[in-house]
């Protein structure tokens, strides 16, 4: 559900200003960026105003936006395929969503996403999401934190206006880790016509099981790390309609005609309560979700492997290959 290491870093990350984050990103990405003149000239649009950027002839592009949807200026990394700048071709897109307490840099700094995607003809979009559970919250004490609006109503069309993509169902996939795995399942169901492939790596798939443990966790973590005491789903009383709309196991029919990939660990660290609580709940929820998919006759892929709550590179590579088989090919 959340990444414990990233949670500890979340407080300092929230204080990053646009210029500071841009400098840090440029320094951290030196190996992926080129020092030459910009090769991509993105423009404002869809409610997003670019306040910082690093555009270059390399693969990894960085942008930070001012937007009415989010009080502070959220950022995104856009990882382009090899040869993008000179090919003139269009490419499918993967929206890759981070876990709680992390940010737009996580998959690059911690998971070496540049190497994991090398040689594959796909654009990877990695946006900020704070610990907002990919939702517009019921209540915020820190100004607008409408992450769902930012991602789906602003960033997605902005990407399609500024990069050579296939703006269609067969041109988009969504995947994520932990909280991001939940976000991927949620977005694929609520925005049915947007994504033909959805993947959840150690992400919860059932909000109401065990007396709503995941909803309570989402409320607690969002209150502490994003909303200044506000909550995603409402407390002490939930917005029940919103929970139902976001709950993957209550949206089974929305996964018809999609490629579905699920991964979870079977042996979390017994002395690490955070790891145990997270992955035990993830595994149980994914099994409930898989059973519902099976009853509905919806094909799906799944992996249960040893270990706890972390992003498994080898499973992501397997997943990525499966996405590319399902997505429209670059051309």
């Amino acid at each position: 559900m959340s990444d414990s290491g990233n949670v500890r870093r979340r407080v300092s990350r929230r204080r990053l200003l646009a210029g500071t984050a841009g400098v840090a990103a440029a320094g951290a990405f030196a190996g992926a960026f080129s020092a030459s003149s910009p090769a991509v000239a993105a423009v404002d649009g869809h409610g997003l105003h670019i306040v910082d950027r690093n555009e270059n002839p390399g693969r990894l592009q960085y942008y930070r936006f001012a937007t009415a949807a989010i009080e502070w200026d959220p950022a995104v990394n856009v990882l382009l395929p090899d040869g993008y700048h000179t090919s003139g071709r269009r490419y499918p897109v993967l929206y890759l969503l981070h876990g709680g307490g992390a940010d737009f840099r996580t998959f690059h700094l911690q998971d070496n996403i540049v190497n994991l995607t090398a040689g594959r003809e796909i654009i990877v979009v990695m946006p900020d999401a704070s610990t907002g559970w990919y939702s517009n919250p019921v209540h915020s004490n820190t100004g607008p934190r409408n992450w769902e609006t930012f991602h789906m109503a602003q960033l997605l069309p902005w990407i399609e206006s500024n990069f050579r993509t296939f703006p269609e169902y067969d041109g988009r996939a969504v995947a994520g880790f932990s909280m991001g795995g939940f976000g991927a399942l949620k977005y694929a169901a609520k925005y049915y016509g947007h994504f033909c492939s959805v993947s959840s790596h150690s992400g919860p798939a059932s909000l109401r099981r065990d007396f709503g443990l995941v909803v309570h966790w989402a409320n607690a973590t969002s209150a502490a790390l994003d909303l200044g005491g506000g909550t995603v789903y409402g407390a002490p009383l939930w917005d029940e309609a919103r929970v139902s709309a976001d709950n993957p196991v209550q949206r089974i029919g929305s996964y018809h005609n999609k490629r579905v990939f699920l991964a979870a660990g079977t042996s979390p660290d017994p002395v690490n309560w955070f790891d145990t609580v997270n992955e035990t709940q993830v595994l149980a929820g994914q099994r409930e979700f898989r059973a519902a998919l099976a009853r509905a006759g919806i094909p799906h892929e799944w992996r249960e492997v040893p270990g706890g709550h972390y992003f498994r590179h080898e499973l992501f590579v397997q997943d990525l290959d499966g996405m590319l088989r399902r997505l429209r090919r670059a051309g």
Side-chain angles (χ1 to χ4, degrees):
M1 290 179 276
S2 294
D3 183 308
S4 58
N6 288 331
V7 166
R8 290 192 294 270
R9 290 186 290 274
R10 177 62 186 139
V11 173
S12 61
R13 195 205 71 79
R14 290 175 62 196
R15 298 192 180 102
L16 288 176
L17 298 176
T20 303
V23 172
F29 305 152
F33 283 148
S34 166
S36 303
S37 59
V40 177
V43 298
D44 295 348
H46 307 282
L48 300 180
H49 171 62
I50 302 169
V51 296
D52 195 21
R53 68 177 80 201
N54 189 330
E55 296 172 319
N56 60 89
R59 291 184 60 203
L60 196 60
Q61 316 290 309
Y62 152 78
Y63 302 90
R64 188 170 291 278
F65 306 104
T67 167
I70 307 295
E71 180 73 13
W72 53 272
D73 298 341
V76 64
N77 273 337
V78 180
L79 182 58
L80 303 173
D82 296 309
Y84 174 89
H85 299 293
T86 57
S87 71
R89 303 166 73 198
R90 292 188 177 274
Y91 296 86
V93 180
L94 165 62
Y95 290 83
L96 185 58
L97 311 180
H98 68 70
D103 66 20
F104 74 102
R105 302 167 297 177
T106 297
F107 289 108
H108 175 67
L109 295 179
Q110 296 184 16
D111 296 304
N112 200 9
I113 193 68
V114 173
N115 284 348
L116 290 177
T117 58
R120 289 168 169 86
E121 294 187 320
I122 191 168
I123 296 170
V124 184
V125 178
M126 297 163 283
D128 265 329
S130 186
T131 304
W133 287 82
Y134 298 90
S135 297
N136 295 346
V138 168
H139 180 65
S140 170
N141 292 320
T142 52
R145 292 290 190 274
N146 296 313
W147 293 106
E148 186 171 342
T149 295
F150 169 57
H151 295 139
M152 300 306 301
Q154 297 180 328
L155 183 62
L156 188 149
W158 182 86
I159 290 291
E160 294 179 347
S161 294
N162 286 284
F163 296 89
R164 297 193 309 276
T165 72
F166 296 116
E168 60 188 52
Y169 181 71
D170 289 333
R172 307 186 199 97
V174 61
F177 167 67
S178 191
M179 180 189 78
F182 162 74
L185 292 173
K186 167 187 170 170
Y187 284 168
K190 290 186 74 173
Y191 300 88
Y192 177 84
H194 285 62
F195 305 103
C196 70
S197 178
V198 56
S199 311
S200 179
H201 292 260
S202 287
S206 177
L207 296 183
R208 295 183 182 275
R209 66 174 297 108
D210 296 334
F211 305 101
L213 181 60
V214 175
V215 176
H216 290 304
W217 183 252
N219 277 341
T221 53
S222 64
L225 298 174
D226 195 50
L227 301 174
T231 61
V232 168
Y233 290 113
L237 299 178
W238 302 345
D239 183 326
E240 297 288 353
R242 185 171 298 195
V243 172
S244 296
D246 288 0
N247 192 3
V249 297
Q250 292 182 260
R251 302 294 302 267
I252 293 299
S254 297
Y255 299 96
H256 278 291
N257 302 315
K258 295 184 185 294
R259 174 187 173 270
V260 180
F261 182 95
L262 305 164
T266 58
S267 54
D269 184 348
V271 299
N272 183 335
W273 72 267
F274 189 92
D275 192 63
T276 298
V277 170
N278 269 275
E279 204 64 8
T280 298
Q281 186 63 210
V282 162
L283 181 61
Q286 286 197 6
R287 286 175 173 174
E288 178 186 347
F289 181 64
R290 282 161 33 199
L293 291 173
R295 287 193 297 271
I298 298 174
H300 55 283
E301 303 172 57
W302 55 274
R303 306 286 190 274
E304 290 186 3
V305 296
H309 195 67
Y310 57 90
F311 184 64
R312 293 166 171 83
H313 296 178
E314 69 281 5
L315 294 188
F316 173 74
V317 171
Q318 293 177 29
D319 181 23
L320 183 60
D321 289 341
M323 289 179 212
L324 288 167
R325 288 191 293 270
R326 175 63 181 85
L327 287 161
R328 181 171 175 177
R329 292 189 177 185

